Each structure stands twice: as structure tokens, then as C-alpha cells.
Amino acid sequence: MSERRDVVILGAGFSKAIYDSMPLIDELGNDCRMELTDSVLAQKHMPGIFRNGYFEIWLSRIAEDQPDYSDIRNAENHALFLEVSWAIRKIVDQRQRVAMAAETDQGWLFDFVEKLHNRRATVITLNYDNLIEFAVQSFEAVGRPALEGESPSGTTKITAEMLIDHLPLLGGAPTYGSLEHAMADTFSLHKLHGSLDWWWTPGDVSGATISRSPLVGGFGSLSDEREDEEDRKHRQPGRSPYIVPPTASKSSYFLNPQARELWARSAKALSEATALTIFGYSAPVTDVVMAEMIRESTNPDCPVTVVTLDEDGVRTRLRGLGISDERVANVFADAADGPAEFVNDF
């Protein structure tokens, strides 16, 4: 009997299932519009409202030079994209902090993370938030035994650092020998669109400036803890948030070696998967890079489980990726109980 290899793809619907006010893509765009009411560039070039997934298309368009725009307009777009990146970081960080402090039943999240750890699954996330990492760090804070794994030095507590395997490295930390500290066997987390705790010098195709800030805080009793902003500036001098436009294809965001390594690892995991779960990812046709990776890399015999509120729409788009209805083994579409029912079945 072959070894089970689980791959889980997480989209915005996953974060929204944890806390209802976590924004979906157009909600995030409209929140950014409100956040940037004092920005001259936003007032000049940002639509008044985003609908039908337009925010991800618009965001990708302003992130790169466009042939139909003048040099001046392209320069303005670059500046506006930086403003929007900071707004995205602020909005999503605020929402996830509220989620971690909320008095709601998030037991299914910790059950899910524990099962991911036990399965040594691969998680491919398109979300910017750190809810998965914070959950891993918060088991003891919410009254659960910490996740543990075997390392070269024996049994050790699992940390968020171990999920991402040093991609990217912590900013402000020495690089020589930094990969030598004990790692433990656990699940892998591939953040393909960047993260709230990742920083870079925009346009850096070498990837040399991409680095992380340490995760401070968590669920339960850890929810009030924050990284000091002056410490962050010391670790990440002059850097901007590494927020990858959702529909970017060929750009400095994907040409740098760190991004390419993460995408290559994700493609390999999909090719080896014996079970694929798509949780809160709508598989939009505009997300060409992700869609083609799923189409080209996933084993054609791999069964698929879907957790979504838009069953018909997701099924239709999955058919376009070569995933027939017959391969969709299970669908969890109940808004209230779907996530918990899926985790119980996982």
C-alpha cells in the first residue's frame, strides 16, 4: 500500500472561515480604497469600488509597467502599488489580530493544524496572513499540548520556522550557520504570494533583500503581543512588504530564486500527492500561474476534496483544469459547519 501524501491548497475562504471579517479579494480592495482616502494617487487612479474579482486584476496591472501607459503613468502606478501593499498589510494584520483575540470556537483550526502535522502534509497557501503559523505557536496558549517532532537532537517543539524551512531567512540575523539549528519533521507551508511578515526591496530579481520579521503574538493569551515597530525597521531597513499580486505571471515577484524555489516545491508536492484538498480557493480563471500549475502538476488519478461556499462555481472552474466531477470525492459547502465537518473527516 502506497504512502499517503496530502496536499492542501488554501485560499481567502479559509481565512474567512476562521474569522468572518477576514476580507475576500474585492472586500480587501474596497478596504484599501477606504484606507487610502488621503492618497492623491489612489484618488486619481483607484476605482471607486471593486466587484467580480477585479481587485486582483487591477492590482497586477499597477504592479508592472504596462505598454499602453506613459512612463509617467507607469511610475505613478508603481508608487500606488507600494501604497496599496502597505494598506493590505495593515488591513489583514488588523483582522488577523482581532481573529486571534476573538472569543469564538476555533477548535477546528487547531485540530486541522494537528492533523497536518501528523500527516506531514504540504500546505500551499495563497493568503498573506499568518494564521497557520500563529496557530502552530499557540497550542500551549490555548490549553493544548505543543506540537512535537523528532529532530537530530531528539524530540523538540514545532515552531513556525520549521514550517517554512528558512524561506526566507529572518532579517537582521547572521546568515552563516543559520540553517544549522535543529529542524523537526512536520508539515510544510509554502506561501506563494508572500506574507505579512516578509519584506523586500521592490524589483529585486536576485531575492537577496527578501527576509522575514519574527512572528510575535498568537491566539489566546498571546494575542496582545506585537513586534516593536522600531525593531522591525532595524531588521528591515528601507524595505517594503513582499505582497505578490494575485495574477502576476512574469515579473520580479516570480523571477527571484526564493519565489521560484517555493513554486517548484509546490509543483513537486502536487505531482506526488495522493490526496488534494482545496479549501477556500475559488480557482479563478485570472490566476493563470496557479491554475496551470494545478493542471500540469497534479496526478490525474488524485482524488480532490473541496471546502467552499461556491460549489457550482468551483466545480465548473475545476473542470476547466482537467479535474472532473468524478474526481471530486467530497464537498463541504455548509457555511456554518463545513470547515469543522471537513476537519473531522480529514
Side-chain angles (χ1 to χ4, degrees):
M1 188 174 187
S2 61
E3 177 186 0
R4 176 170 176 143
R5 296 181 179 178
D6 280 276
V7 173
V8 180
I9 297 174
L10 301 180
F14 168 76
S15 299
K16 197 170 184 67
I18 295 171
Y19 192 68
D20 187 60
S21 70
M22 290 293 286
L24 298 177
I25 190 67
D26 282 333
E27 294 171 338
L28 181 58
N30 292 325
D31 287 346
C32 285
R33 187 70 173 79
M34 295 297 295
E35 183 68 27
L36 296 174
T37 52
D38 294 331
S39 164
V40 173
L41 290 176
Q43 297 304 315
K44 185 177 180 181
H45 296 308
M46 204 168 182
I49 191 169
F50 292 98
R51 299 188 182 96
N52 303 317
Y54 182 58
F55 181 59
E56 63 181 7
I57 299 172
W58 177 83
L59 193 63
S60 296
R61 186 160 165 81
I62 69 168
E64 300 290 329
D65 283 352
Q66 302 299 324
D68 56 318
Y69 287 156
S70 68
D71 290 342
I72 294 174
R73 175 63 187 274
N74 278 319
E76 288 181 338
N77 281 349
H78 288 314
L80 178 56
F81 180 78
L82 290 176
E83 290 186 333
V84 173
S85 295
W86 280 100
I88 288 173
R89 186 182 186 279
K90 179 179 179 180
I91 292 163
V92 177
D93 181 65
Q94 288 175 337
R95 299 292 180 87
Q96 77 172 5
R97 295 290 178 177
V98 173
M100 291 187 295
E103 294 292 332
T104 58
D105 180 14
Q106 294 156 336
W108 66 264
L109 169 62
F110 287 87
D111 290 343
F112 182 43
V113 168
E114 187 170 22
K115 289 185 175 184
L116 291 173
H117 169 64
N118 292 337
R119 296 263 184 91
R120 305 309 193 251
T122 296
V123 178
I124 301 169
T125 180
L126 306 173
N127 299 332
Y128 304 127
D129 62 63
N130 302 111
L131 292 171
I132 288 284
E133 301 99 297
F134 277 128
V136 167
Q137 296 192 168
S138 303
F139 269 71
E140 293 172 297
V142 298
R144 293 180 175 228
L147 300 179
E148 293 184 342
E150 293 302 315
S151 72
S153 58
T155 303
T156 188
K157 178 180 175 181
I158 300 299
T159 65
E161 180 77 17
M162 297 169 183
L163 308 181
I164 65 167
D165 194 17
H166 304 284
L167 276 175
L169 291 168
L170 282 172
T175 56
Y176 178 76
S178 61
L179 303 186
E180 294 178 0
H181 84 260
M183 297 292 287
D185 191 22
T186 185
F187 70 97
S188 299
L189 180 64
H190 300 167
K191 306 196 79 171
L192 300 188
H193 283 172
S195 183
L196 298 185
D197 58 326
W198 296 8
W199 306 85
W200 79 324
T201 298
D204 173 21
V205 296
S206 75
T209 63
I210 302 176
S211 63
R212 287 181 296 116
S213 290
L215 283 175
V216 180
F219 287 84
S221 60
L222 302 176
S223 61
D224 290 332
E225 298 182 10
R226 300 284 190 280
E227 181 188 22
D228 181 78
E229 180 62 11
E230 290 305 312
D231 288 345
R232 199 276 302 168
K233 290 180 180 178
H234 182 74
R235 284 179 176 272
Q236 313 292 348
R239 289 182 174 91
S240 297
Y242 184 68
I243 300 294
V244 179
T247 61
S249 53
K250 293 175 63 178
S251 71
S252 56
Y253 298 94
F254 287 164
L255 292 178
N256 73 75
Q258 297 204 41
R260 291 173 63 187
E261 176 64 20
L262 284 172
W263 281 81
R265 291 184 187 187
S266 298
K268 184 175 186 293
L270 284 169
S271 71
E272 297 174 348
T274 63
L276 172 63
T277 298
I278 298 175
F279 191 154
Y281 176 58
S282 62
V285 295
T286 53
D287 195 355
V288 177
V289 182
M290 186 66 190
E292 289 306 300
M293 183 174 71
I294 294 173
R295 183 202 306 274
E296 295 174 4
S297 300
T298 307
N299 187 314
D301 298 323
C302 180
V304 178
T305 295
V306 174
V307 188
T308 181
L309 298 182
D310 180 23
E311 179 179 354
D312 292 341
V314 171
R315 278 185 180 272
T316 298
R317 290 186 286 275
L318 289 181
R319 286 187 214 114
L321 299 180
I323 299 175
S324 64
D325 288 348
E326 289 72 24
R327 282 181 58 196
V328 179
N330 290 292
V331 176
F332 297 87
D334 185 270
D337 301 321
E341 290 175 354
F342 156 69
V343 171
N344 184 62
D345 188 68
F346 183 62

